[in-house]
């Protein structure tokens, strides 16, 4: 079964195709290979990234493949349309010093404490934004210093909590309980908003923008940058790539492989510093 987010994405992709066909007074099952090329050109011209273009193409190709299978059409107009080549850009990564600036501090008020705990949780676990938003109190295992994460495809894994994250949790949990009780919203949700309900993705991005300005961070600063930084720092400290794969919840090691390229920058610095012919005079 597909996740709800995947179903919504497929629906949006197909609605875009419907709009394209309607603009040309065409039925969905009347599109030709040339129409498929025009649709692909239109989404490229709209400035979508390669990943989004490929998702559009995968959605519509699957739709027409099913239509062909049930004999609604004679040929799939998208069958010969090639996927966009993905450029492998190296992810933005925070330095350890930059991370310390962000995760340090011991605020006493509820929402600043929630924000600092959230940053620490991202860096301690390397979790995705959706995984953090889905955290419940029952997912915490304070004795083992770990938290249960629900990743892509409803796959579950445990991630470890740093000593600092555990300390912040012990400060945060009583304040959280008092706050949700006051709002008459008793629940198992770990990270709550001003109404006492589950924090949303848009709220988290807004928090990140606020702290980026507040701390004067010049580089890209998002939840996923924390995930990139977690993986890169683990590899920089001699963690094996298989370990990082497990901690990140990647199904394939090829997805994790990009972080080894980031860590190659560290290898270059070590080489320049240590090799007799590589040292800077």
């Amino acid at each position: 079964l597909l996740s709800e987010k995947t179903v919504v994405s497929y629906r949006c992709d197909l609605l875009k195709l419907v709009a394209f066909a309607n603009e040309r007074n065409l039925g969905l099952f009347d599109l030709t290979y040339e129409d498929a090329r025009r649709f692909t050109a239109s989404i490229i011209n709209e400035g979508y990234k390669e990943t989004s273009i490929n998702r559009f193409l995968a959605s519509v190709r699957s739709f027409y493949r099913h239509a062909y299978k049930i004999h609604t059409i004679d040929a799939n107009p998208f069958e010969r349309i090639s996927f966009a080549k993905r450029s492998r850009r190296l992810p933005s990564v925070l330095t350890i010093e930059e991370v310390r600036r962000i995760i340090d501090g011991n605020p006493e008020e509820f929402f600043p404490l929630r924000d600092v705990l959230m940053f620490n949780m991202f860096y301690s676990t390397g979790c995705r934004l959706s995984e953090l938003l889905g955290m419940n109190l029952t997912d915490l295992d304070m004795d083992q210093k770990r938290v249960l994460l629900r990743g892509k495809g409803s796959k579950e894994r445990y991630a470890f909590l740093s000593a600092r994250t555990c300390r912040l949790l012990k400060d945060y949990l009583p304040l959280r309980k008092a706050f949700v009780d006051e709002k008459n919203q008793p629940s198992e949700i770990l990270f709550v908003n001003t109404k006492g309900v589950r924090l949303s993705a848009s709220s988290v991005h807004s928090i990140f923008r606020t702290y980026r300005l507040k701390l004067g961070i010049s580089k890209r600063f998002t939840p996923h940058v924390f995930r990139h930084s977690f993986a890169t720092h683990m590899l920089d400290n001699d963690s094996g790539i298989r370990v990082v794969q497990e901690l990140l919840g990647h199904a394939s090691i090829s997805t994790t492989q990009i972080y080894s390229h980031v860590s190659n920058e560290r290898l270059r610095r070590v080489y320049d510093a240590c090799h007799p012919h590589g040292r800077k005079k």
Side-chain angles (χ1 to χ4, degrees):
L1 290 176
L2 299 176
S3 70
E4 184 180 343
K5 286 179 67 176
T6 301
V7 172
V8 170
S9 295
Y10 281 169
R11 184 174 183 272
C12 291
D13 295 343
L14 292 176
L15 285 175
K16 194 163 189 69
L17 180 66
V18 169
F20 172 86
N22 288 343
E23 286 174 4
R24 292 157 179 77
N25 295 317
L26 295 170
L28 277 182
F29 299 125
D30 298 326
L31 267 61
T32 64
Y33 168 66
E34 290 301 322
D35 294 320
R37 290 185 60 187
R38 292 188 187 98
F39 173 76
T40 305
S42 71
I43 59 176
I44 292 173
N45 291 336
E46 286 184 45
Y48 285 99
K49 294 180 180 178
E50 295 93 338
T51 50
S52 298
I53 293 168
N54 288 340
R55 196 198 67 213
F56 277 123
L57 294 178
S59 299
V60 297
R61 184 180 290 185
S62 296
F63 172 75
Y64 282 108
R65 188 174 293 142
H66 177 70
Y68 176 77
K69 187 176 180 179
I70 62 175
H71 308 294
T72 304
I73 56 176
D74 296 326
N76 184 341
F78 283 86
E79 196 63 45
R80 290 188 289 146
I81 301 295
S82 300
F83 286 103
K85 292 183 178 179
R86 293 181 61 183
S87 55
R88 297 284 286 183
R89 292 182 301 172
L90 295 180
S92 178
V93 174
L94 299 166
T95 65
I96 292 176
E97 291 72 23
E98 287 169 333
V99 169
R100 286 194 181 118
R101 282 183 57 213
I102 298 163
I103 68 174
D104 279 352
N106 295 283
E108 296 181 359
E109 294 182 9
F110 177 63
F111 287 111
L113 177 58
R114 178 205 61 185
D115 297 343
V116 173
L117 171 62
M118 180 178 66
F119 295 145
N120 276 268
M121 188 68 79
F122 274 125
Y123 187 63
S124 176
T125 65
C127 67
R128 301 177 178 93
L129 173 57
S130 60
E131 293 168 344
L132 179 129
L133 295 177
M135 288 180 185
N136 295 321
L137 298 181
T138 51
D139 298 325
L140 295 171
D141 182 348
M142 299 299 284
D143 291 334
Q144 297 293 323
K145 296 182 180 178
R146 62 183 187 175
V147 61
L148 181 65
L149 303 179
R150 295 172 187 82
K152 292 183 177 180
S154 300
K155 293 181 180 177
E156 295 183 346
R157 72 185 188 281
Y158 277 105
F160 301 106
L161 302 174
S162 66
R164 174 168 171 73
T165 304
C166 289
R167 287 197 300 272
L168 289 169
L169 274 168
K170 288 177 181 177
D171 293 337
Y172 171 79
L173 292 175
L175 295 180
R176 175 213 157 276
K177 184 179 186 307
F179 182 79
V180 297
D181 286 349
E182 178 189 323
K183 295 290 181 180
N184 198 26
Q185 293 280 8
S187 68
E188 289 296 304
I189 299 166
L190 180 57
F191 290 100
V192 296
N193 64 13
T194 54
K195 296 179 180 178
V197 297
R198 196 176 296 277
L199 197 63
S200 68
S202 59
S203 295
V204 172
H205 286 299
S206 178
I207 292 168
F208 269 75
R209 285 193 295 272
T210 298
Y211 277 81
R212 183 174 183 267
L213 292 172
K214 180 180 176 181
L215 297 172
I217 300 169
S218 58
K219 61 176 62 169
R220 196 160 176 262
F221 181 50
T222 67
H224 222 64
V225 168
F226 261 122
R227 184 166 160 87
H228 294 323
S229 304
F230 165 86
T232 303
H233 296 168
M234 288 288 292
L235 287 170
D236 279 352
N237 284 280
D238 300 323
S239 168
I241 195 166
R242 289 284 183 187
V243 172
V244 173
Q245 178 193 358
E246 289 293 325
L247 292 172
L248 292 178
H250 285 161
S252 170
I253 198 168
S254 61
T255 311
T256 320
Q257 198 70 39
I258 189 170
Y259 297 109
S260 66
H261 299 315
V262 177
S263 288
N264 281 340
E265 295 299 318
R266 174 178 170 270
L267 294 179
R268 167 58 67 180
R269 291 196 299 271
V270 172
Y271 175 87
D272 288 342
C274 300
H275 192 280
H277 292 170
R279 289 176 182 157
K280 301 293 185 291
K281 301 277 182 159

